[in-house]
Amino acid sequence: MTEQKIMVKPFEALADARFQKPWEKIMIGLECHVQLNTDSKLFCSCPAGKETEEPNTACCEVCLGMPGSKPALNKKALDYALKVALALNCNINEKFFFSRKTYFYPDMSKNFQITQYEIPVGENGFIELQGGKKIRIRRIHLEEDPAALIHESGLLSSNYCLVDYNRSGIPLIEVVTEPDMASPQEAREFLDQLTMFLSYLDVFDFENGTLKADCNLSVVGNERAEIKNVTGKKSVEKALEFEAKRQLELVKQGKQIVRETRGFDEKTLSTKSLRKKESEEDYGYITDTDLAAVVLSKKEIDAIRKSLPELHSDKAKRLAKEFGLSDYDAKVIAGSRFLSELFEEFAKSSSAKTANFFVSGIFVSIAHHDNKEPEELSSMLDVSQLKELLSLFEKGKINEKALKEAAIAHITKSKNPLDFIRENGLFKEASSGEIEKIVERALAANPKAVADLKTGNEKSLNFLVGLAMRESKGKAEPREIKRIIEEKIK
Ligand code: ZN
Ligand code: MN
């Protein structure tokens, strides 16, 4: 007679005995490569950001790595890197130098990349997420972008690939985080915060610049995989979502996760193995003796610190205080330099309330609906036309719906919003006198609710609005009624 066997997979046995669902904890670290919007490249005078031009026309002996050529550091790129490092709460190294990272590939004609290894520009910073969680930044360093490899589709597509050196030598900063993010959503939020800093510091071209990330993800207690070169915030989130699912599934099945480098496929939104992971030491870094070490004085660092503009967290606090916005709305508006400038401009001719309603309510949702960052719509706006539109709304001549429709027509079809209102007959009937009377009656009949409202009770406001709405048989808008009530009890 055989003895009974307990059939449990080894991993499950371990999990039951020692951990509680160990596979539920994920660690994500990012290495973000941000293209700086300087005029020239990092170590030569070739124009930067000319990737759209005729290939191989924006390059010279330095960015092509010809023998005997001598690189020289772009001061502006250094200043930009210092700005970002300071804004992200990093300690600045007063002395650092550049190293050569051995790298044999057609997109790097020198067979090495000039980067920083031993001592970066800045270290030990952090970015705070909305909920207050701090994501630590291990380091920020400067390095040059490799050339672009172009895989032509069609004829002979599998047999060759073209190289465009226009991109070779464009300045990048690499922002390396600790593995502090616990979900793809947190990684996305980190990138949103990072791009806010870039927008306020004006070091990144939102229309033409690229932001790429190498994304490291592991399930706690297991090896990590690195997804190389993912372009854009949305793709980073998608790549991490796929990778988290894949690794969690492996762990659940008791399989081992191998340390490796993976690639992200934009079409299938999946990752696949590229190569078994090499370690950073394998690159054989050596000091670049063609470039002088950078030595900064405390005075120089202080001068850059002082030159930093008001950043989004300070701006949010100021907007909340100065314009009486809610913390949430202030954060949405301060979330981009462009939005906050737009808000402050509208608030000059309209009330802060109307400006806020338009910017954080209507404008942001139009941008999101089109899957765009607000700054990408900046060239579509005629601010003075929109100011007139807001003033019509504020005077009660058009309703919320008309305001929205006119704004959409303006932003998506360059339509003059006032013409749009006129052509579509969206001016309100002169019935606001009638609504005013309804409100007056509602207030007179409910002295207790009015008294409560004066002490700041929001519930009684809603109660009174509801009453007036019913009275008007739906003809009036809640917003309009609210406005009248607030005026009356002032
Ligand atoms: Zn060059
Ligand atoms: Mn790098």
Side-chain angles (χ1 to χ4, degrees):
M1 210 168 101
T2 55
E3 284 168 350
Q4 191 191 352
K5 297 285 188 299
I6 301 170
M7 302 299 286
V8 181
K9 279 190 242 157
F11 178 78
E12 282 177 358
L14 184 69
D16 285 339
R18 295 177 40 200
F19 308 102
Q20 206 181 1
K21 293 189 178 175
W23 55 81
E24 281 186 353
K25 195 156 183 246
I26 281 177
M27 285 165 78
I28 295 169
L30 298 173
E31 295 162 30
C32 312
H33 291 88
V34 178
Q35 182 179 338
L36 299 175
N37 62 352
T38 55
D39 295 331
S40 58
K41 292 185 179 180
L42 187 53
F43 299 114
C44 63
S45 301
C46 291
K50 296 284 175 187
E51 291 148 82
T52 49
E53 297 204 340
E54 186 71 12
N56 298 313
T57 53
C59 35
C60 70
E61 64 278 10
V62 174
C63 51
L64 289 176
M66 304 276 190
S69 62
K70 289 275 185 281
L73 179 62
N74 180 340
K75 170 81 166 59
K76 199 170 184 185
L78 173 63
D79 284 352
Y80 282 9
L82 285 166
K83 270 192 189 183
V84 177
L86 284 167
L88 302 190
N89 312 294
C90 287
N91 298 326
I92 303 299
N93 288 310
E94 285 169 28
K95 191 173 173 187
F96 51 81
F97 53 91
F98 289 89
S99 291
R100 298 174 172 186
K101 177 178 180 174
T102 309
Y103 176 33
F104 187 80
Y105 213 60
D107 65 1
M108 197 46 93
S109 57
K110 303 193 286 283
N111 291 341
F112 59 81
Q113 176 190 28
I114 307 179
T115 177
Q116 295 186 275
Y117 180 55
E118 293 83 352
I119 309 174
V121 172
E123 289 174 284
N124 299 326
F126 65 86
I127 279 182
E128 195 175 316
L129 302 183
Q130 295 277 4
K133 178 173 175 178
K134 280 182 182 162
I135 307 300
R136 291 170 296 161
I137 288 163
R138 188 182 298 166
R139 55 186 276 146
I140 295 179
H141 67 250
L142 267 168
E143 65 183 29
E144 56 178 346
D145 208 355
L149 291 178
I150 297 154
H151 301 270
E152 294 275 315
S153 54
L155 197 67
L156 296 173
S157 61
S158 54
N159 294 334
Y160 75 99
C161 129
L162 300 170
V163 190
D164 179 3
Y165 288 100
N166 285 358
R167 208 180 72 191
S168 178
I170 283 180
L172 305 177
I173 44 166
E174 183 170 337
V175 180
V176 183
T177 76
E178 297 291 344
D180 287 347
M181 288 153 278
S183 68
Q185 291 67 42
E186 258 184 28
R188 171 65 195 256
E189 208 203 314
F190 172 84
L191 291 176
D192 284 339
Q193 288 285 332
L194 177 63
T195 47
M196 277 185 226
F197 279 103
L198 300 175
S199 128
Y200 275 94
L201 296 171
D202 201 14
V203 297
F204 179 68
D205 177 347
F206 277 83
E207 272 176 66
N208 306 305
T210 55
L211 188 150
K212 287 183 195 165
D214 299 337
C215 315
N216 292 282
L217 184 144
S218 67
V219 180
V220 170
N222 294 272
E223 279 290 357
R224 68 184 153 93
E226 176 175 16
I227 316 160
K228 269 274 177 216
N229 243 338
V230 186
T231 306
K233 298 192 277 189
K234 212 173 174 184
S235 294
V236 168
E237 192 179 357
K238 290 283 170 228
L240 286 168
E241 274 171 9
F242 177 88
E243 190 57 19
K245 253 192 217 150
R246 185 187 74 87
Q247 291 190 20
L248 287 169
E249 192 50 41
L250 285 175
V251 172
K252 228 185 216 168
Q253 292 169 5
K255 289 181 185 152
Q256 213 183 355
I257 293 165
V258 284
R259 177 136 185 209
E260 64 183 349
T261 300
R262 300 177 69 85
F264 177 60
D265 184 333
E266 297 269 351
K267 286 198 198 88
T268 59
L269 300 180
S270 62
T271 69
K272 64 167 195 286
S273 182
L274 294 177
R275 54 184 181 269
K276 296 288 167 271
K277 174 73 182 169
E278 63 279 1
S279 75
E280 207 51 40
E281 296 81 56
D282 295 339
Y283 284 106
Y285 286 89
I286 55 168
T287 309
D288 194 314
T289 48
D290 279 345
L291 283 156
V294 177
V295 182
L296 299 165
S297 66
K298 287 217 161 55
K299 225 172 132 192
E300 284 170 291
I301 298 171
D302 266 355
I304 291 186
R305 198 191 304 272
K306 284 202 189 98
S307 79
L308 294 181
E310 180 186 34
L311 295 168
H312 54 283
S313 55
D314 290 336
K315 173 144 318 195
K317 280 179 206 141
R318 181 172 66 78
L319 291 180
K321 206 170 145 207
E322 205 174 309
F323 295 97
L325 302 182
S326 71
D327 286 348
Y328 179 82
D329 288 346
K331 273 184 187 161
V332 170
I333 288 177
S336 106
R337 191 171 49 127
F338 169 65
L339 280 186
S340 63
E341 283 168 3
L342 197 61
F343 167 78
E344 292 197 72
E345 190 55 40
F346 287 143
K348 283 179 194 163
S349 55
S350 299
S351 69
K353 204 171 160 191
T354 304
N356 173 33
F357 173 67
F358 184 76
V359 174
S360 71
I362 295 181
F363 181 67
V364 170
S365 64
I366 293 174
H368 287 177
H369 181 265
D370 287 350
N371 248 325
K372 292 211 162 98
E373 297 280 343
E375 25 289 276
E376 289 179 75
L377 298 177
S378 64
S379 55
M380 310 300 292
L381 301 184
D382 182 320
V383 172
S384 64
Q385 287 181 4
L386 287 173
K387 278 183 167 180
E388 286 180 59
L389 179 71
L390 287 188
S391 116
L392 283 184
F393 174 68
E394 203 158 56
K395 287 180 194 144
K397 294 197 170 151
I398 56 169
N399 66 21
E400 205 173 302
K401 196 159 162 267
L403 174 67
K404 258 182 213 166
E405 283 172 6
I408 291 172
H410 179 65
I411 294 162
T412 60
K413 298 189 192 103
S414 308
K415 181 87 192 157
N416 180 324
L418 300 192
D419 290 348
F420 181 87
I421 297 282
R422 232 171 272 129
E423 286 162 19
N424 292 281
L426 294 175
F427 281 109
K428 241 194 263 181
E429 308 294 328
S431 63
S432 55
E434 199 183 312
I435 297 167
E436 210 168 312
K437 275 182 197 134
I438 291 173
V439 171
E440 274 167 9
R441 279 203 298 274
L443 295 183
N446 295 279
K448 181 159 182 321
V450 173
D452 282 353
L453 183 54
K454 282 183 177 158
T455 64
N457 186 341
E458 280 285 316
K459 267 188 197 156
S460 53
L461 177 62
N462 292 338
F463 166 74
L464 291 167
V465 171
L467 268 184
M469 280 292 285
R470 224 173 305 144
E471 272 291 297
S472 78
K473 299 195 172 65
K475 262 189 280 173
E477 273 190 291
R479 205 185 143 78
E480 173 74 359
I481 294 177
K482 241 185 216 176
R483 188 182 64 79
I484 298 174
I485 292 179
E486 276 166 0
E487 236 173 58
K488 298 266 172 211
I489 65 153
K490 236 184 239 168

